[in-house]
Amino acid sequence: MGKEWFFRWVLVIGVMGWYVEGLGVNWGTQATHPLRPDTVVQMLKDNGIQKVKLFDADASTMNALSGSGIEVMVAIPNNQLAEMNDYDRAMQWVRKNVTSYNFRGGVNIKYVAVGNEPFLKSYNNSFLNVTLPALQNIQNALNVVGLGDSIKATVPLNADVYQSPENNAVPSAGIFRPDISDLMTQIVQFLSKNSAPFTVNIYPFLSLYGNDNFPLDYAFFDGVANPINDNGISYTNVFDANFDTLVSALKAVGFGDMPILVGEVGWPTDGDKNANLGNALRFYNGLLPRLAANKGTPRRPGYIEVYLFGLIDEDAKTIAPGNFERHWGIFRYDGQPKFPMDISGQGKNKLLVGAKNVHYLDPKWCMFNPDATNLSMLADNIDYACTYGDCTALGYGSSCNNLDANGNASYAFNMYYQVQNQDDMACDFQGLAKVTTNNISTPTCNFIIQINPSSSSSLRPSLMAFLFITLSMILFL
């Protein structure tokens, strides 16, 4: 194959990073039963994670981070960008969500993320005209309140904002996407003026998703048989090639030395044939040592600031991009580690410290009723359950894809039952389901018990989670 196919797919992916001292994580909260913020903050501290990137400025999250010393990137969602085009409103936002936490023992805010990947082609230019004014107003407001030197506004962008021409598909030919080139140049100029970094989200996994022709090994870091040659520079992975395409795009508009912050990078563990524990472990085993060594990329050697995506699985995220969207966490929905990893990059893999004092619902599951006789409504009831519960693990190549028909029904019914906090009425499905106190999980498919949203719930030890994780590790190692 020629190098064109490689760099055509390189543009929706890749990343670069570094070591535990500066390693951050993305903390998303789109879950039906989120962990308590103080529980998550303690989990971050227990694992030595010193930086966190948020997707909003939720008060409960910010209050939990107060006094922790953890460095924070607070965020303005895309649906608030238009509002931030009014300077007075932007100033109000800064005073409420930044300056109010700026005191000794407060929140250690380092960045404000203005939007999240606002120029994705799938958004049909919805945020094209409001992103730069919002960025300008937020940074100017930070400057006015005297925080502009220590807190920088930036725009986390997807890697699809830059590319290499089809007739010269190598990183050294990188340019910003022609349809937004002028806008990107203005954004870069403003970031540079305020000494703020360019923030990019790069995903090697997406190079494989939906493209069976992409060589698997290029998504990882352990070598390939046929490296791509770019004028004497050898590229053996998507990560380096994608990052250096951005370096070249910045150079092309006169800012080749601009700091680049990797806002998101990671590997999902379910929801697709390539999203599994084995591939995630392989990815992190390649990424983290490179970060620890400050290896950088061929065109940008040295330290690069990186935030892993993500911290915890989110069962309420949209699955429009794919079923894998709900499975990016290095921790499960309940804050228990999925696989052994060493975030220091020293190769001493062990299970991370899980969330403590997690309260669960009772040990009950909802399953298909084998005595049911009228099966004509089974499909409709499964569809209903999966509309409100997370059935992404049932998809092709996913962890629960090997269940039989009754198992599929049981999985769907149980996910709905747990989302509904084990309400008895939520396990009927026109007589097709029944409650059981026997764990119906299989070696590869976990039938979960959801977190109890009530603080008065009884404490159940995480032994069941530990056993499932351990068995899964044995199976994929």
Side-chain angles (χ1 to χ4, degrees):
M1 296 182 178
K3 57 191 176 185
E4 290 77 16
W5 61 264
F6 176 71
F7 289 103
R8 204 168 294 141
W9 283 97
V10 132
L11 302 172
V12 277
I13 44 189
V15 68
M16 188 53 214
W18 88 305
Y19 156 57
V20 65
E21 182 183 348
L23 186 67
V25 294
N26 283 265
W27 176 5
T29 57
Q30 295 184 55
T32 60
H33 293 65
L35 290 167
R36 289 168 52 98
D38 57 343
T39 298
V40 177
V41 171
Q42 186 60 51
M43 186 170 67
L44 294 171
K45 294 168 68 175
D46 288 343
N47 288 287
I49 297 172
Q50 303 172 8
K51 299 182 181 183
V52 67
K53 177 172 170 281
L54 307 176
F55 293 89
D56 53 31
D58 179 75
S60 62
T61 301
M62 296 295 284
N63 288 333
L65 286 164
S66 185
S68 68
I70 295 171
E71 188 177 287
V72 177
M73 181 186 295
V74 69
I76 301 170
N78 288 340
N79 60 9
Q80 295 180 23
L81 291 178
E83 193 176 355
M84 296 303 113
N85 278 221
D86 181 297
Y87 176 76
D88 291 338
R89 182 64 190 91
M91 176 60 79
Q92 292 174 11
W93 190 95
V94 166
R95 292 191 184 280
K96 176 183 177 181
N97 299 297
V98 179
T99 59
S100 64
Y101 297 102
N102 185 45
F103 57 89
R104 185 180 296 275
V107 181
N108 181 20
I109 299 174
K110 178 70 175 297
Y111 300 109
V112 175
V114 181
N116 184 50
E117 301 183 338
F119 303 148
L120 281 175
K121 293 181 180 179
S122 59
Y123 289 153
N124 297 316
N125 299 331
S126 298
F127 308 108
L128 209 60
N129 298 320
V130 296
T131 301
L132 176 57
L135 173 68
Q136 293 169 326
N137 284 341
I138 291 296
Q139 184 65 64
N140 289 337
L142 290 168
N143 294 344
V144 168
V145 299
L147 296 176
D149 289 339
S150 59
I151 303 176
K152 304 298 182 181
T154 183
V155 182
L157 295 161
N158 188 274
D160 72 348
V161 300
Y162 51 89
Q163 63 186 48
S164 293
E166 289 190 10
N167 62 356
N168 191 23
V170 292
S172 60
I175 56 173
F176 286 114
R177 211 171 73 205
D179 62 307
I180 57 172
S181 180
D182 290 343
L183 176 58
M184 287 303 306
T185 300
Q186 294 177 60
I187 288 175
V188 169
Q189 289 172 339
F190 184 78
L191 291 174
S192 177
K193 177 183 176 182
N194 288 277
S195 301
F198 189 105
T199 302
V200 62
N201 302 337
I202 315 177
Y203 287 103
F205 168 79
L206 294 181
S207 60
L208 298 176
Y209 182 65
N211 178 25
D212 290 334
N213 294 321
F214 189 91
L216 179 70
D217 290 345
Y218 278 102
F220 301 97
F221 304 94
D222 39 19
V224 294
N226 300 299
I228 301 300
N229 185 278
D230 178 10
N231 299 314
I233 296 178
S234 180
Y235 287 93
T236 61
N237 63 81
V238 169
F239 171 93
D240 285 352
N242 188 288
F243 192 95
D244 281 358
T245 302
L246 171 58
V247 172
S248 297
L250 288 168
K251 183 178 179 181
V253 296
F255 295 90
D257 295 326
M258 170 167 280
I260 298 173
L261 183 158
V262 177
E264 298 178 17
V265 58
W267 199 279
T269 58
D270 214 341
D272 181 70
K273 64 180 181 179
N274 291 310
N276 53 61
L277 295 175
N279 279 347
L281 184 62
R282 180 183 178 187
F283 180 77
Y284 286 117
N285 278 347
L287 174 69
L288 296 174
R290 294 167 61 94
L291 306 188
N294 288 334
K295 185 174 181 179
T297 66
R299 296 186 181 277
R300 185 68 71 86
Y303 163 68
I304 301 173
E305 189 169 4
V306 171
Y307 293 79
L308 301 183
F309 189 88
L311 183 62
I312 305 168
D313 281 351
E314 302 172 77
D315 67 344
K317 285 192 72 176
T318 176
I319 57 172
N323 287 345
F324 56 84
E325 275 297 316
R326 295 176 176 173
H327 303 279
W328 286 101
I330 56 177
F331 291 90
R332 301 185 336 150
Y333 73 100
D334 57 355
Q336 302 310 310
K338 293 181 179 179
F339 49 82
M341 65 186 298
D342 182 2
I343 58 175
S344 74
Q346 304 305 307
K348 300 177 182 179
N349 285 349
K350 62 180 181 180
L351 287 176
L352 299 177
V353 180
K356 298 175 180 176
N357 299 324
V358 178
H359 296 254
Y360 294 85
L361 296 171
D362 292 333
K364 299 189 297 183
W365 295 261
C366 184
M367 64 174 288
F368 173 73
N369 184 357
D371 297 325
T373 56
N374 183 10
L375 304 183
S376 61
M377 297 299 292
L378 181 60
D380 288 343
N381 278 277
I382 290 175
D383 287 344
Y384 180 84
C386 290
T387 298
Y388 298 98
D390 178 21
C391 295
T392 53
L394 292 175
Y396 171 70
S398 301
S399 63
C400 298
N401 183 229
N402 57 355
L403 298 177
D404 60 18
N406 290 354
N408 287 338
S410 293
Y411 188 88
F413 292 162
N414 185 62
M415 293 305 284
Y416 179 81
Y417 179 61
Q418 301 297 335
V419 166
Q420 299 299 320
N421 298 318
Q422 298 184 352
D423 188 318
D424 288 340
M425 297 297 293
C427 188
D428 179 65
F429 294 100
Q430 298 178 295
L432 294 169
K434 69 174 187 177
V435 174
T436 180
T437 56
N438 295 320
N439 189 347
I440 51 178
S441 298
T442 73
T444 59
C445 182
N446 185 24
F447 284 65
I448 70 166
I449 295 175
Q450 192 52 268
I451 298 169
N452 194 325
S454 171
S455 60
S456 63
S457 62
S458 60
L459 178 65
R460 291 186 64 245
S462 299
L463 177 61
M464 186 181 306
F466 175 78
L467 290 176
F468 182 79
I469 294 165
T470 302
L471 181 56
S472 298
M473 289 163 48
I474 292 171
L475 289 171
F476 79 80
L477 289 177

